Amino acid sequence: MTETNQELEEKDEEAKMPLTEHLSELRKRLVVSIAAIGIGFIAAFNFSDRLIGLIVKSINIKIVFLAPTEAFWAEMKVAFFCGLLISLPVLLHQVWKFVAPGLHPQERQYGFPFVILSFVFFLIGVAFALVVVLPFAIGFLLSYQTEWMQPMISVGNLVDFYVKFLLAFGLVFEMPLAITILSKMGVLTPAFLSRNRKYAVLANFVIAAMLTPTTDIFNMMLMAVPLIILYEIGIIGARIFGKKKGEEHEQ
């Protein structure tokens, strides 16, 4: 017995509804995320000039701007990065709210720890870059000055250098958490991670080469070595919190 056109249309509509709801949920999460970044940006813009001043004092070199709008855009970049940092807990929460409906009930209980730990690991990465990596990187690069070759750094180049380093280290410090979560979900195992350690080391050097703002081997090593250490921490986290064989069989 053939179905009528109305019945077919109703079935098509029912099939489209999940996708429509999915897109509606995505739009909602994006609106909340953009609003959070905007509020953080407005709050940070009032202090962006002081933040640039702190960066300049740390390298003890007078900086210039080479275009009428360069200083303005440098402050905008600093304000945007700080606004992103301020709103990061909200962004992570929105990501989790969007992903959670597709997870099992026992996996949804990790939502709050995921948001908190992701934010903490990102802050640790930013702090590590700011306190340890950037002073070494700036000192190494400025050591090339001579009596006939003096540095003249523009504020735009300096801000780009700092923001790229801080953002890159904030992201790579999420590696142990990502490895642990994937192991808890049964996607990765400690044995697999240990067995492919040499490939991971190679991949870490490739990632460091892509994420490091400069092309010198010194600054690449400043990122590659922490990446290797973070990978080892991820293996330890996978062994402690990863899915055990009994749990996998039970599920």
Side-chain angles (χ1 to χ4, degrees):
M1 187 174 181
T2 58
E3 296 178 339
T4 63
N5 291 335
Q6 184 176 359
E7 289 175 345
L8 290 173
E9 288 178 2
E10 288 176 358
K11 284 191 174 183
D12 289 339
E13 190 65 27
E14 289 177 0
K16 292 178 183 178
M17 278 301 292
L19 177 60
T20 305
E21 292 176 1
H22 188 72
L23 293 175
S24 177
E25 182 71 12
L26 177 61
R27 182 181 63 181
K28 177 183 176 182
R29 302 304 169 195
L30 287 175
V31 169
V32 174
S33 300
I34 293 172
I37 294 174
I39 294 172
F41 171 81
I42 294 172
F45 186 73
N46 296 321
F47 306 97
S48 57
D49 182 58
R50 300 179 188 177
L51 295 173
I52 294 177
L54 292 175
I55 295 174
V56 174
K57 288 180 181 178
S58 67
I59 63 175
N60 197 24
I61 288 180
K62 186 177 181 179
I63 61 173
V64 298
F65 57 94
L66 305 177
T69 59
E70 185 175 0
F72 170 74
W73 284 114
E75 292 192 10
M76 292 282 285
K77 289 176 183 178
V78 170
F80 179 78
F81 177 77
C82 293
L84 186 66
L85 195 62
I86 294 170
S87 61
L88 188 58
V90 178
L91 301 182
L92 292 171
H93 183 257
Q94 293 305 307
V95 170
W96 181 262
K97 293 284 285 184
F98 181 71
V99 174
L103 301 177
H104 297 293
Q106 64 269 22
E107 293 172 343
R108 295 176 190 172
Q109 62 183 335
Y110 303 116
F112 183 73
F114 166 78
V115 172
I116 298 300
L117 291 176
S118 297
F119 182 60
V120 170
F121 273 87
F122 192 90
L123 287 182
I124 293 174
V126 169
F128 180 81
L130 200 59
V131 176
V132 179
V133 177
L134 280 169
F136 276 102
I138 292 290
F140 171 77
L141 295 174
L142 293 181
S143 66
Y144 284 95
Q145 63 179 314
T146 63
E147 57 180 329
W148 61 83
M149 187 171 58
Q150 297 296 318
M152 186 177 70
I153 304 174
S154 70
V155 63
N157 290 332
L158 182 65
V159 167
D160 284 342
F161 185 82
Y162 264 75
V163 167
K164 288 177 181 177
F165 252 107
L166 296 177
L167 187 59
F169 271 87
L171 291 175
V172 300
F173 265 68
E174 302 285 347
M175 182 189 293
L177 181 61
I179 292 175
T180 303
I181 290 175
L182 291 174
S183 179
K184 186 67 178 175
M185 295 173 64
V187 178
L188 297 175
T189 62
F192 174 83
L193 295 169
S194 300
R195 187 169 60 249
N196 294 279
R197 182 180 281 108
K198 57 183 178 181
Y199 301 110
V201 171
L202 177 61
N204 288 335
F205 274 97
V206 173
I207 293 172
M210 292 191 305
L211 294 181
T212 306
T214 58
T215 56
D216 59 282
I217 189 67
F218 178 80
N219 285 317
M220 187 183 74
M221 290 295 294
L222 287 176
M223 180 174 286
V225 173
L227 273 173
I228 295 171
I229 296 173
L230 290 169
Y231 183 80
E232 296 298 327
I233 295 174
I235 294 177
I236 295 173
R239 287 174 178 166
I240 296 174
F241 302 104
K243 182 184 289 186
K244 305 297 187 294
K245 291 183 178 180
E247 294 179 5
E248 187 175 352
H249 177 71
E250 195 174 308
Q251 287 186 1

